[in-house]
Each structure stands twice: as C-alpha cells, then as structure tokens.
Amino acid sequence: MSRTLKTGVIGLGFFGSRHARIYTDHPAAELIAVCDSDPGRAALVAGETGARGFDDLHALLALPELEAVSICLPDRLHEEAALAAAAAGKTILLEKPLAHDAATALRIVKAVEKNGVRFMVGHILRFDPRYVQTFHAAAPEKLGTPVHLRAKRNGIRATAKRLGASSSILFYMGVHDIDAMQWIARSRISRVYAQKVELLGTGNEDALYAVVNFENGAIGNIDYSWAWPDGLMNGFRSTLEIVGTKSAAYLDCTDQGFYVVEEDGTSGGDTHLWPEINGRIAGDLADELDHFVKATLSGKPYVQHYREALDAIPVLDALARSAQTGVPVEVVR
Ligand SMILES: NC(=O)c1ccc[n+]([C@@H]2O[C@H](COP(=O)([O-])OP(=O)(O)OC[C@H]3O[C@@H](n4cnc5c(N)ncnc54)[C@H](O)[C@@H]3O)[C@@H](O)[C@H]2O)c1
C-alpha cells in the first residue's frame, strides 16, 4: 500500500482519544486533525499526536486535505457531525449507535447516500474473534434453522451514572447485541416484548429484559443490566448463544483470561477490546480501524454495510416503547 489515508477524529473522550492513538500508530494512516468542544482536550490530544487541534467540528471538516473522519461524539450528537461530514465529502467512521432513534438514523443514511460518501458504523463486535467465529459456526449448513438465541450484556452502575441522559442502556450497550443477534441469526427482529426496572437512582435504567421474535421464526432472549456493583471484574459480562435444528454455538466474554490478585481482592484486565500491548492499542478496536483504513484506501467494501447497522435502530426504538408501555411492539421499518 503506497499512499496513506489522511484522517481526523471528532470527539476526544473515552473512545475518540483511542481512535486518535490508533490512527497515529497505523502505518497507512496519517492523523492530521482532532476536534473536541473542550479546547483543553483538543490541545492535549493534538500535543500527544502531532495533529492540528480544533474546538469546532466544522473548522476541522473544512480542511480540504482531510479524507476520512471518525465521529466519536455522544449518541445524541451524531447527526449534526455526520451530516456535516457527508456534506463536506468526507469518508465517515461513525461510532455506534448509528443514532439515538430510527428517524435520526435514517436521516444520516439519506445524507450519506445523497452525498455519495463512504460510510461505516463502528460495530466493534464484527471484529471480535469470538463473535465472528460464532457467526461462521451459525452458517445454515452447520446450524440448520435457528431455534433460539440469547444475549446478555451487563455493566456497572458507574457507567449508568457517567452517561446520565446522554445515552441509555439500549443505545449504549444494547445496540451491540441487537446487531450481533440479527447478523448471527441471518434474520431481522420483527417484534419485541420488554420490561425494565429503575430502583438504584443512577439517572438511568438499571436493567431491561426482553423476548424478541425473528422474521425466520426463531425466538430470542435479551438480558441487559448496568446495575452491577462497580467492583464487577472488567466492568462487564457478555454472552451470546444460538441453538439451531442441527447444532449450537455460544460465546462467553466474561472471562478475559487475565487476573491480578492483591490483598483486597482480584481484578481483571481487558485482553480483547482495546488492550495496550507493547506500547500500542491492540485488539478489536485496532482491527476495526485497520479495516476502515485499508478498505477505504483500496475501495473494497466494509465488512458490514451501513444498511445492516441501520437495521438495529428500529429494534431499539421498539424495545424502548415496549418497556415503557408494558405491551409487545412490532418493529417498524
Ligand atoms: N464500540 C464501543 O465499544 C464503544 C465504546 C465506548 C464508546 N463508544 C461510542 O463512542 C461515542 C463516544 O463515547 P465516549 O464514551 O467516548 O463519550 P465521552 O463522553 O467520553 O466523549 C465525548 C467527547 O465529545 C466531546 N464533545 C461533545 N460535544 C462536542 C461537539 N459538539 N464537538 C466536538 N466535541 C464534542 C466531549 O467534550 C467529549 O470529550 C458514543 O457514540 C459511544 O456509544 C463505543
């Protein structure tokens, strides 16, 4: 690969700062600009990476040499940045969820299509070896017809408190599993029945359970929580299983295979998502950005078409409505 992709990052918080580091270390990417509405953060990351710092995303997008941009803003701010990036003709990597509701997600997709720009949504599980292998194990010739699926994603109270009203259990965590279940089952969710509970006073839901129906006849079960005490090892537990007429497959991300034991207890470390290994960020996020850079430069398709990412958002809307009303809800597409 002879040329490099000139990249930028908008939003330099927990995730955007990691995108910036990965582009800086990538041999086929050149991070030329970073932006955060907090000028101190923008200056800090600019200093660390050598990129130009901006506190206005429109100023960053006005750079003619900028080719591609990661948008790592809170969910409810995805639309303004994505529409501006599409209008500026930039290739876009938009962090999940595509948007915080189906109407907004569709507006983003239409803007991308109208402007003819390339677009990828950051569904990191599409790069996680455990999920990708489960997808392959669930191929129809091996699994037969899907009968039932179960997905669990449980996090800690500190996350619910940190995000407050900027996201929700469904849009921050749930989007991962809705996308993964539809991808692995090779079928879309058509109907949902959800219930939620709010007892802890974090300013967010504590837990949401749901039964879902797939277009292919399978049923699914979803278990979301961020009610776990903050001492939960690694801060999250996630599992997924699919049972078919011929075989079954499952994965369990609870055990990351690495522990530190001290006088006051045992803790774990991230070995898969974005661990720091030999001075650089490795794992699923690095693989996702590597794919984004290489597929953008080569013109090859991204592993997930954005229309598949779009398919998750009406399911989240339906789950929220069902949990609110207490009755089953059809997914409107
Ligand atoms: N794929 C994953 O596993 C994963 C993990 C974490 C976060 N995310 C996604 O990444 C996105 C960002 O999440 P986060 O946890 O980094 O949030 P964060 O709150 O840590 O960071 C957001 C940053 O955006 C900045 N910002 C806010 N408004 C801005 C504006 N108008 N212009 C420029 N900067 C602005 C804030 O100052 C902050 O630094 C979310 O969509 C989230 O869902 C994905």
Side-chain angles (χ1 to χ4, degrees):
M1 206 171 287
S2 54
R3 89 174 186 86
T4 55
L5 184 72
K6 292 190 169 49
T7 59
V9 178
I10 298 173
L12 302 170
F14 175 77
F15 229 41
S17 57
R18 287 172 169 79
H19 278 238
R21 271 195 63 192
I22 292 169
Y23 286 133
T24 306
D25 290 340
H26 197 290
E30 188 187 344
L31 182 74
I32 65 164
V34 292
C35 167
D36 199 287
S37 53
D38 172 349
R41 276 219 67 76
L44 179 75
V45 179
E48 286 168 353
T49 60
R52 284 177 67 185
F54 294 85
D55 57 17
D56 172 14
L57 66 92
H58 299 281
L60 175 143
L61 291 169
L63 291 176
E65 66 274 30
L66 181 73
E67 295 172 280
V69 67
S70 279
I71 298 173
C72 304
L73 295 174
D75 304 353
R76 291 173 198 281
L77 303 181
H78 285 189
E79 182 179 16
E80 182 197 346
L83 264 53
K90 309 301 182 193
T91 297
I92 301 167
L93 170 52
L94 176 61
E95 261 307 331
K96 53 57 53 177
L98 208 168
H100 64 284
D101 61 40
T104 310
L106 196 56
R107 283 198 297 276
I108 292 175
V109 163
K110 288 198 167 144
V112 161
E113 291 178 348
K114 182 173 149 237
N115 289 285
V117 296
R118 297 200 66 198
F119 180 46
M120 178 173 137
V121 179
H123 278 159
I124 192 168
L125 299 185
R126 301 281 181 139
F127 298 88
D128 187 300
R130 298 161 294 195
Y131 285 84
V132 174
Q133 291 188 81
T134 302
F135 169 76
H136 291 304
E141 63 276 17
K142 296 179 189 153
L143 186 96
T145 305
V147 179
H148 66 88
L149 293 91
R150 186 211 299 255
K152 174 189 190 82
R153 187 164 301 272
N154 285 188
I156 53 177
R157 297 165 190 185
T159 311
K161 281 189 207 148
R162 176 174 72 84
L163 292 166
S166 78
S167 192
S168 67
I169 202 165
L170 285 170
F171 282 83
Y172 197 76
M173 302 201 311
V175 68
H176 286 298
D177 305 279
I178 297 303
D179 178 59
M181 288 171 101
Q182 295 189 131
W183 167 49
I184 289 166
R186 285 124 170 116
S187 181
R188 299 189 307 182
I189 293 169
S190 55
R191 186 171 185 266
V192 305
Y193 183 23
Q195 291 190 29
K196 66 176 178 178
V197 62
E198 293 177 15
L199 292 175
L200 292 170
T202 60
N204 240 310
E205 305 99 333
D206 303 325
L208 184 146
Y209 279 18
V211 173
V212 301
N213 297 96
F214 289 79
E215 289 172 349
N216 64 6
I219 56 167
N221 172 280
I222 293 167
D223 160 359
Y224 294 141
S225 158
W226 45 27
W228 283 80
D230 295 343
L232 178 68
M233 196 179 294
N234 298 319
F236 83 104
R237 308 173 68 195
S238 73
T239 62
L240 187 144
E241 62 195 41
I242 179 165
V243 177
T245 49
K246 284 173 29 185
S247 67
Y250 70 96
L251 62 89
D252 189 339
C253 303
T254 307
D255 187 340
Q256 297 280 321
F258 168 61
Y259 315 94
V260 176
V261 185
E262 292 167 305
E263 290 298 339
D264 57 354
T266 304
S267 57
D270 169 26
T271 59
H272 286 77
L273 297 173
W274 40 81
E276 172 129 5
I277 306 293
N278 300 328
R280 53 177 282 275
I281 295 176
D284 299 347
L285 184 63
D287 288 347
E288 176 189 314
L289 268 61
D290 177 67
H291 171 71
F292 177 68
V293 168
K294 288 179 178 160
T296 302
L297 283 171
S298 68
K300 289 192 180 144
Y302 299 128
V303 292
Q304 180 186 37
H305 193 277
Y306 58 81
R307 284 256 166 200
E308 261 184 72
L310 178 65
D311 269 341
I313 308 297
V315 181
L316 299 174
D317 273 0
L319 284 164
R321 217 163 44 253
S322 177
Q324 199 68 44
T325 58
V327 296
V329 170
E330 302 292 325
V331 177
V332 180
R333 290 192 160 91

